[in-house]
Structure formats: structure tokens, C-alpha cells
Amino acid sequence: MSQGEQRAHPRREVVGRAFWSAGRLEGSCALRNVSASGALIEKPDMQLTIGQRLEITISLGDGDPVSLKATVVRSNAGAVAFRFERVTPALLGALSKAAEAGAGPS
């Protein structure tokens, strides 16, 4: 984390997939990391812009998929970062289960 960057929740590198939709656009891509408040995905084929709202479903390891509403906060050549609109018990449970199963390093 850079010196000026502050996070409410620690990130966790994961092995997983993200399925997203924003209006008529939709796609899937690799999930790089996730926290209780947001995630970073591999750059999708379609352009997502900062401030764009979307519905995202993440799958961590062999756990149940979790669907959330999110807003794009950063988009560059390699990845898109977004913030979840709210922290949900389902997401916290999925993160906990992934940590116990060793889905990636802390």
C-alpha cells in the first residue's frame, strides 16, 4: 500500500472469478484481490469508467458466489478496482471461508 493510501479493510490475494454487469454490458474475468470493501479484477474486454456502477458476482475457491453492487474507483490498462456499496455478511463469510481454505496469501 502506498503512503497516501488508506484502506478500511485489508486486501486478500485470491484465486477466483468475477462476473459483472453494467446496463447492457456484461463479462467475466479473473479476480486479483478482494477485501470486505472492494476488489481488483483483471481488465475486462469492455471499458469500465470511474464512477460507473455495476453488479458483480464473485466466486472464491469452491465457496458460494456472492453478488454485490459496486462502483468503479480506478481503471487502467491492466485492472479495474471497485468499491462495494456495502459490506455484507455473505461477503464476510466468503472471505472467512476462503482464508480457512487457503485460497491465497493474506
Side-chain angles (χ1 to χ4, degrees):
M1 177 173 4
S2 70
Q3 191 172 2
E5 208 174 339
Q6 295 182 347
R7 299 198 183 284
H9 304 280
R11 287 184 184 179
R12 178 168 184 74
E13 291 183 24
V14 295
V15 175
R17 295 290 300 165
F19 302 91
W20 58 270
S21 64
R24 292 186 216 161
L25 301 176
E26 59 183 36
S28 68
C29 52
L31 185 61
R32 285 192 187 174
N33 64 52
V34 65
S35 75
S37 58
L40 183 70
I41 59 174
E42 295 287 333
K43 184 71 172 187
D45 290 339
M46 294 177 216
Q47 182 65 31
L48 295 174
T49 57
I50 294 172
Q52 188 171 9
R53 296 180 72 200
L54 52 95
E55 176 92 17
I56 189 155
T57 300
I58 58 173
S59 295
L60 301 173
D62 59 357
D64 292 331
V66 178
S67 293
L68 303 148
K69 293 190 184 310
T71 302
V72 176
V73 294
R74 189 179 75 228
S75 181
N76 61 36
V80 173
F82 52 88
R83 181 181 58 246
F84 301 132
E85 289 187 6
R86 66 185 184 91
V87 177
T88 67
L91 176 61
L92 295 175
L95 289 171
S96 177
K97 186 175 179 179
E100 290 171 8
S106 306

